[in-house]
Amino acid sequence: MNDTIVVDLDARDKVLDWAFVLALVANETGISVAQITAPTRVSAKASRSRQLAIYLARVCLSITLTDIGRLFGRDRATVIHACALIEDQRDDPAFDAFVTNLEAAIAEWQRGRCRRRVA
């Protein structure tokens, strides 16, 4: 009998990255993770935070549209719509700087996680 346990490090890392993105967006927007991931629209601000988390998951984590939809209990079309809305809002320099800072924080998180794994 083989008692070997196989751990998919890529899947585990994606879960850690996803949790970080949610916590980061919650912290920076003042909306709780529960509100961001709520199955229904809680408020306009929560919806915008959710759209931002969806966008960051797509752009920074390269999670598929289908998987992002599953994480939020929504379909691919909703994910595409959220990404398009955030992309359009990036025409505003202040919002673009805000998103750029979030992307940098996620990249730094990923670099640090990778260093810890190698060490």
Side-chain angles (χ1 to χ4, degrees), residues 22-80:
L22 282 176
L24 180 67
V25 171
N27 184 61
E28 295 300 317
T29 62
I31 298 293
S32 72
V33 170
Q35 289 177 307
I36 292 171
T37 58
T40 59
R41 182 179 169 156
V42 178
S43 68
K45 191 171 180 185
S47 293
R48 282 190 298 275
S49 296
R50 180 183 309 112
Q51 291 162 350
L52 180 58
I54 287 171
Y55 174 82
L56 293 170
R58 182 67 181 148
V59 172
C60 297
L61 306 181
S62 300
I63 298 176
T64 66
L65 297 171
T66 301
D67 287 344
I68 294 169
R70 285 185 190 131
L71 288 167
F72 283 103
R74 286 163 169 76
D75 60 26
R76 288 171 42 102
T78 301
V79 173
I80 292 167

Side-chain angles (χ1 to χ4, degrees), residues 10-28:
D10 287 338
R12 186 195 69 177
D13 287 347
K14 283 186 181 183
V15 170
L16 291 174
D17 289 346
W18 174 241
F20 178 78
V21 167
L22 282 176
L24 180 67
V25 171
N27 184 61
E28 295 300 317

